Amino acid sequence: MLDSVKIARRQSEIRQKLAELAGKPTPTEDETRAMEALDAEYRTNETRYRAALIAEDTERREAGADLETRAGREWADLIAGFQMRQVVGALNDGRALEGQTAEVVTELRNAGGYRGIPVPLLALEARAGETISTATPDPMQTRPIIDRLFPASVAARMGAQMIGIGSGAVEWPVATSAVTAGWADGETGSIPDPTAYTTTDKALAPNQTMGVQMRITRKALLQSGDALEAAIRRDMNGAMAAELDRAIFLGTGADGQPLGVITGAATYGIPTTAVDAAASWATYRGAVVRFMTRNAASTPADVRALIRPEVWDYMEYPF
């Protein structure tokens, strides 16, 4: 049994037990501890469930890529060894069929009633051009479709979190207070006055809509087989991910687009420093130092820089 199925069943059992315990108006201490333990196990299983799905999805794709073409590939390989000369010899001289030719004839006879020796059309189609003196055999087999490559999500690497909102709005409190610490002047002295912990509510609403349309021809369906739908889904998901990355940073806020972080820095209250000179290592190093100083970052590893690939050509390394 798959790990994801086992975890899903265990999650169902935990939810059932929690529902029973939560329905009690006055739970005992043991029942309260049991609810805490079940809640902790449920949160841990959620992480394990996502990890199991990722691992099993990779295994399914690898196995599916082989299974979706295995039957057709084995039959095509069997047809490749079909010899017409054995059919002619059997009809003229009564010779017995042997090898792959006998296997193909047996398979065709099992599929339906035939008189004489059945000849698969694929055996003739695979050898188009053999009767032409200037041509050479050119058999062709259709393999699984090759997908395009898409970059990983840049927004996710920069720390962005994708939140799904079906309808309405969801509000998050954001801490805005500046809590300070101080020392008492003497053993009986007073520490500084208390600082009010304040938050600002930020609401998110699904006000933008993005979609992808794709037209599929009948010829493409015949050539690519059952793997085409999965490839189209991966292709469309990759295109949407690339467009989401662009909109998150460079969205104009017009024509249905969201307002990006870079283009809408002034609207979001994000301070920016214009750099008119050519890109250099000293410029990025100074920006990293300013970020660490203003945000109390302990190491440069806490800083995430979004740099275009071509900018690396202009960087001046001090080493």
Side-chain angles (χ1 to χ4, degrees):
M1 183 182 298
L2 295 176
D3 291 340
S4 60
V5 177
K6 296 179 182 178
I7 297 173
R9 290 185 176 181
R10 177 55 183 166
Q11 294 294 76
S12 179
E13 296 174 359
I14 293 175
R15 286 194 297 269
Q16 185 177 0
K17 293 180 181 179
L18 286 175
E20 296 176 357
L21 295 175
K24 297 184 177 181
T26 56
T28 63
E29 294 182 359
D30 294 338
E31 292 173 342
T32 303
R33 285 193 296 269
M35 284 190 289
E36 294 176 355
L38 289 173
D39 181 66
E41 182 183 357
Y42 189 89
R43 291 195 299 269
T44 302
N45 286 345
E46 284 296 315
T47 304
R48 293 178 58 234
Y49 183 74
R50 290 193 294 269
L53 286 180
I54 294 173
E56 292 168 3
D57 181 69
T58 303
E59 295 175 359
R60 288 192 190 98
R61 290 188 179 182
E62 293 176 354
D66 179 65
L67 290 176
E68 67 185 4
T69 56
R70 178 181 297 176
R73 187 170 62 250
E74 291 178 352
W75 177 251
D77 294 339
L78 194 62
I79 293 297
F82 188 90
Q83 298 177 352
M84 289 297 298
R85 61 179 180 84
Q86 292 194 33
V87 176
V88 176
L91 294 175
N92 293 338
D93 305 331
R95 297 178 183 178
L97 301 177
E98 60 183 13
Q100 294 180 343
T101 304
E103 293 182 23
V104 172
V105 172
T106 302
E107 289 290 336
L108 292 177
R109 284 176 174 170
N110 292 335
Y114 292 94
R115 291 184 178 181
I117 300 177
V119 178
L121 294 177
L122 186 60
L124 304 178
E125 295 174 355
R127 290 162 175 76
E130 285 188 348
T131 57
I132 303 176
S133 60
T134 57
T136 56
D138 188 18
M140 182 177 296
Q141 296 180 0
T142 301
R143 295 298 184 180
I145 190 169
I146 299 176
D147 292 348
R148 290 193 295 168
L149 296 179
F150 289 95
S153 176
V154 178
R157 288 180 176 270
M158 294 299 294
Q161 181 181 2
M162 302 300 176
I163 301 174
I165 303 176
S167 60
V170 181
E171 197 171 59
W172 276 267
V174 180
T176 59
S177 58
V179 180
T180 58
W183 295 91
D185 187 9
E187 185 176 355
T188 59
S190 299
I191 60 174
D193 294 334
T195 302
Y197 190 82
T198 58
T199 60
T200 300
D201 294 332
K202 297 291 185 181
L204 293 181
N207 295 328
Q208 283 81 28
T209 302
M210 181 180 65
V212 178
Q213 292 186 0
M214 187 173 295
R215 179 179 297 176
I216 308 171
T217 62
R218 183 178 59 86
K219 184 176 181 181
L221 289 173
L222 293 175
Q223 288 180 345
S224 301
D226 297 335
L228 182 64
E229 181 177 353
I232 290 175
R233 291 179 182 270
R234 292 190 294 267
D235 205 346
M236 297 175 74
N237 287 335
M240 293 176 67
E243 176 59 23
L244 276 176
D245 280 344
R246 189 200 65 79
I248 289 173
F249 295 103
L250 301 176
T252 60
D255 301 329
Q257 296 185 26
L259 184 61
V261 175
I262 296 177
T263 54
T267 304
Y268 298 130
I270 302 174
T272 58
T273 301
V275 180
D276 299 330
S280 65
W281 167 246
T283 302
Y284 283 98
R285 182 181 57 199
V288 171
V289 172
R290 289 195 302 273
F291 182 89
M292 294 177 62
T293 303
R294 297 173 182 176
N295 296 276
S298 57
T299 64
D302 296 330
V303 183
R304 298 180 181 180
L306 186 63
I307 305 175
R308 290 283 305 174
E310 58 269 16
V311 175
W312 292 103
D313 288 339
Y314 300 96
M315 300 283 280
E316 298 175 2
Y317 267 23
F319 308 107

